[in-house]
Amino acid sequence: MAEKLRLDIVTPYGAVFSDEVDEVTATGSEGEFGVLPEHAPFVTTLRAGLFQARKDGQPLYFFVGWGYAEVGPEKTAVLADSAERAEDIDVERAMEAKRRAEDRLKEQEDVDFTRAEAALERALTRIHIVERVVGR
């Protein structure tokens, strides 16, 4: 049985993470799921949320936006529209994005509510990750 799992997290802007890990936990569109080495293959969509990995007993935390995860016995590949390590999240930028999204949602005309709600969800998720994981 394999002891490690290759994890690659990639966005249109480049690789965010690429290394061997012990396990992965992510937020899929159907709920949270976990992956260990030798997992059965599957593909799923991802929601904006906390993405966790464990490497050599140490937790690694990421924000991952909408995307896909391809899971295999030896590798998990994540293709996301955005992703960043929890410690790299800019809290002030996330707070500003939250404020802008809330302002847009208060408007009554000419608002793309789906887009504004998605922006609000991403901002709130980033803020939550920083508060919960990084402790800022």
Side-chain angles (χ1 to χ4, degrees):
M1 181 171 165
E3 294 181 21
K4 297 284 185 178
L5 176 71
R6 180 80 186 178
L7 173 61
D8 293 314
I9 302 174
V10 181
T11 72
Y13 308 103
V16 173
F17 183 84
S18 184
D19 204 350
E20 303 242 323
V21 298
D22 304 315
E23 63 183 278
V24 168
T25 304
T27 306
S29 57
E30 300 296 318
E32 192 172 277
F33 64 91
V35 178
L36 294 170
E38 301 298 325
H39 199 288
F42 72 93
V43 175
T44 187
T45 54
L46 298 173
R47 290 185 48 200
L50 176 64
F51 188 98
Q52 301 174 64
R54 187 166 292 282
K55 179 180 172 159
D56 300 327
Q58 297 299 312
L60 304 169
Y61 300 103
F62 302 87
F63 164 81
V64 173
W66 186 90
Y68 298 95
E70 180 181 14
V71 173
E74 299 172 359
K75 180 179 180 178
T76 295
V78 173
L79 306 172
D81 66 346
S82 60
E84 56 198 308
R85 292 174 182 263
E87 59 268 19
D88 295 337
I89 294 173
D90 183 338
V91 181
E92 288 76 28
R93 183 174 169 222
M95 294 295 283
E96 179 61 25
K98 175 183 175 275
R99 188 195 57 74
R100 282 192 316 269
E102 288 172 337
D103 288 348
R104 271 188 246 125
L105 289 169
K106 289 177 186 173
E107 296 175 14
Q108 298 297 317
E109 297 178 18
D110 299 325
V111 176
D112 183 342
F113 285 101
T114 303
R115 186 173 165 204
E117 286 173 338
L120 180 59
E121 179 183 11
R122 287 190 306 272
L124 290 172
T125 301
R126 282 184 169 102
I127 293 165
H128 173 75
I129 289 171
V130 169
E131 289 174 348
R132 176 178 164 200
V133 175
V134 181
R136 286 193 256 155

